[in-house]
């Protein structure tokens, strides 16, 4: 090989080794100082840009809010050497937290301001959430791109039940749960059931076959259960997206477990949702469970036997029924039947006994139609 070719090859190798370092250096964390003890002036507009570069503009938007204590004085800012990045949200009566704030320099004279806004329960008063960050004055002419992730988990309360809702639009995770307000065996059982459903979804979407990863008993602690479940789901969704190479259509989960029927002795929750992990389509989730309020445990409604499965088979849609026969009876649903609107519901999930295109298959009976197969527990619930 000629000396010229060797020289050119050496230059190319050196350039390739330098390029990743230059790319890494192009995006770097920007040092910030949080400005504490300020409030947004009443009547002042929301900033049209997060970047504030003069004392006059800053004073128009914000005022000091000195409080008692060692850290009560407002943080000083010097606009001769600094500029300010301001996150100002509208006035709200929701508990609101601005967190995970990062500032990165993504290109020359271009910053990215990223943060998460977490909306919680409603309060008896209103506030205006703000976060103020001082940055080096050399960024006073920079363009600032804002990336805000909103997490919304409002709670609605009825006389006996509460619904807690988690919504992360950026992560495409939407979870809504009903649970009893009163403590006791029923609440404990409902919370543990919901934990098992969420844990099962987290395992399934990350293709985990670890059957030991069972959700613990939470003894009615909804807050801890919900935090653990969201963490597991988020971790599993990240695993899927990483395996798929950060796809244009990332993993998403929408799931609701809500109270759909109730009597003096029973409570029925139904679960519905949709999970997308890539590919041509996602998977739907449709199931239910009936609790015996007296015992606080899931109620067994019917006895599985060939005679009952024959009746179920006779009610299947024609295209599905043809796949079974007297010698090959339809199996009992993977999820136990539940009681809703006066009927016993037998629900087969998509792909359980028919092609995906068929979707879920539902067979219903009035209790009197299958009376000989009812359990004593269910008879007691019906007759109480």
């Amino acid at each position: 090989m000629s000396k010229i070719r060797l020289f050119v090859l050496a230059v190319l190798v050196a350039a390739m080794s330098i390029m990743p370092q230059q790319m890494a250096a192009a995006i770097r964390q920007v040092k910030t100082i949080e400005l504490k003890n300020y409030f947004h002036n009443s009547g002042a507009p929301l900033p049209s840009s997060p970047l504030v570069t003069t004392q006059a503009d800053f004073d128009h938007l914000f005022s000091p809010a000195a409080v008692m204590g060692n850290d009560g004085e407002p943080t000083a800012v010097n606009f001769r050497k600094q500029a300010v990045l301001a996150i100002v949200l509208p006035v709200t009566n929701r508990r609101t937290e601005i967190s995970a704030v990062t500032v990165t320099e993504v290109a020359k004279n271009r910053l990215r301001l990223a943060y998460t806004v977490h909306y919680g329960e409603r309060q008896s008063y209103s506030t205006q959430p703000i976060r103020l960050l001082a940055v080096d004055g050399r960024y006073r002419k920079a363009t600032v791109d804002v990336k805000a992730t909103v997490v919304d988990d409002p709670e609605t309360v009825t006389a006996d039940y509460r619904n807690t809702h988690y919504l992360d639009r950026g992560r495409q995770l939407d979870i809504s749960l009903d649970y009893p307000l009163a403590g006791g065996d029923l609440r404990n059982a409902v919370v543990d059931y919901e934990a098992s459903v969420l844990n099962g979804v987290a395992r399934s979407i990350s293709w985990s076959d670890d059957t030991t990863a069972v959700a613990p008993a939470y003894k009615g602690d909804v807050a801890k259960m919900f935090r653990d479940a969201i963490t597991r789901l988020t971790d599993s969704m990240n695993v899927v997206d990483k395996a798929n190479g950060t796809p244009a259509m990332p993993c998403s989960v929408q799931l609701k477990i809500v109270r759909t029927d109730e009597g003096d002795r029973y409570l029925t929750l139904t679960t519905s949702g949709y999970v997308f992990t890539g590919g041509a389509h996602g998977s739907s989730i449709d199931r239910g469970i009936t609790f015996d309020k007296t015992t606080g445990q899931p109620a067994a409604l019917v006895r599985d036997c060939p005679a009952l499965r024959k009746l179920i088979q006779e009610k299947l849609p024609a295209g599905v029924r043809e796949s079974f026969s007297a010698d090959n009876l339809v199996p009992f649903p993977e999820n136990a039947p539940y009681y809703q609107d006066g009927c016993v519901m037998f629900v087969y999930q998509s792909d359980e006994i028919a092609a995906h295109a068929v979707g879920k298959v539902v067979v219903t009976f009035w209790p009197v139609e299958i009376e000989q197969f009812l359990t004593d527990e269910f008879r007691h619930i019906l007759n109480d």
Side-chain angles (χ1 to χ4, degrees), residues 46-299:
L46 296 179
S48 57
S49 166
L51 188 60
V52 183
T53 59
T54 69
Q55 186 70 55
D57 288 343
F58 185 84
D59 292 342
H60 177 65
L61 294 169
F62 307 103
S63 291
V67 296
M68 299 295 291
N70 295 332
D71 298 322
E73 289 298 317
T75 307
V77 56
N78 182 352
F79 280 96
R80 289 179 297 177
K81 298 180 179 180
Q82 296 172 306
V84 171
L85 291 172
I87 303 170
V88 184
L89 305 180
V91 174
T92 178
N93 67 346
R94 299 273 298 281
R95 179 184 58 79
T96 305
E97 179 184 4
I98 302 171
S99 61
V101 182
T102 60
V103 181
T104 51
E105 184 176 3
V106 296
K108 184 178 180 180
N109 250 3
R110 194 172 200 95
L111 301 180
R112 177 181 294 135
L113 172 62
Y115 56 90
T116 297
V117 179
H118 193 146
Y119 288 110
E121 70 275 6
R122 300 193 181 276
Q123 305 172 120
S124 60
Y125 55 91
S126 295
T127 60
Q128 184 162 30
I130 70 171
R131 286 285 292 272
L132 303 178
L133 303 172
V135 296
D136 193 279
R138 70 175 180 270
Y139 297 116
R140 59 170 46 92
K141 292 185 179 181
T143 299
V144 181
D145 301 321
V146 176
K147 186 181 187 314
T149 300
V150 177
V151 177
D152 193 347
D153 61 343
E155 291 190 339
T156 56
V157 182
T158 63
D160 301 311
Y161 290 85
R162 171 171 289 168
N163 173 269
T164 186
H165 181 206
Y166 179 93
L167 174 61
D168 184 342
R169 294 185 179 91
R171 176 64 276 181
Q172 298 193 46
L173 177 59
D174 187 353
I175 307 293
S176 180
L177 307 177
D178 283 353
Y179 60 92
L181 280 172
D185 292 340
L186 178 62
R187 173 172 167 141
N188 293 351
V190 166
V191 172
D192 288 346
Y193 168 74
E194 292 174 335
S196 69
V197 172
L198 295 172
N199 193 55
V201 172
R203 287 205 319 269
S204 67
I205 64 178
S206 60
W207 310 296
S208 170
D209 57 1
D210 182 6
T211 56
T212 64
V214 178
Y218 285 96
K219 298 181 180 179
D221 189 340
V222 178
K224 185 177 189 318
M225 181 275 287
F226 210 42
R227 288 194 303 270
D228 289 352
I230 296 302
T231 298
R232 282 194 295 268
L233 283 165
T234 301
D235 289 347
S236 295
M237 294 168 75
N238 289 337
V239 168
V240 171
D241 286 343
K242 183 177 180 180
N244 290 340
T246 313
M249 295 181 63
C251 180
S252 63
V253 176
Q254 296 85 41
L255 192 69
K256 292 183 179 181
I257 305 179
V258 296
R259 176 179 54 136
T260 51
D261 198 3
E262 186 176 16
D264 291 339
R265 284 223 38 205
Y266 72 91
L267 165 68
T268 294
L269 301 176
T270 55
T271 301
S272 61
Y274 185 79
V275 177
F276 179 78
T277 58
H281 55 74
S283 301
S284 60
I285 302 172
D286 292 282
R287 67 182 67 167
I289 187 170
T290 297
F291 291 90
D292 185 333
K293 284 185 172 181
T294 302
T295 64
Q297 298 301 313

Side-chain angles (χ1 to χ4, degrees), residues 309 312-314 316-331 351-356 358 361:
R309 282 190 273 155
I312 296 172
Q313 186 168 300
E314 291 172 355
L316 293 175
V320 178
R321 188 170 60 247
E322 294 169 357
S323 301
F324 304 97
S325 65
D327 297 325
N328 178 35
L329 291 173
V330 66
D351 298 310
E352 188 173 345
I353 60 170
H356 183 84
V358 175
V361 177

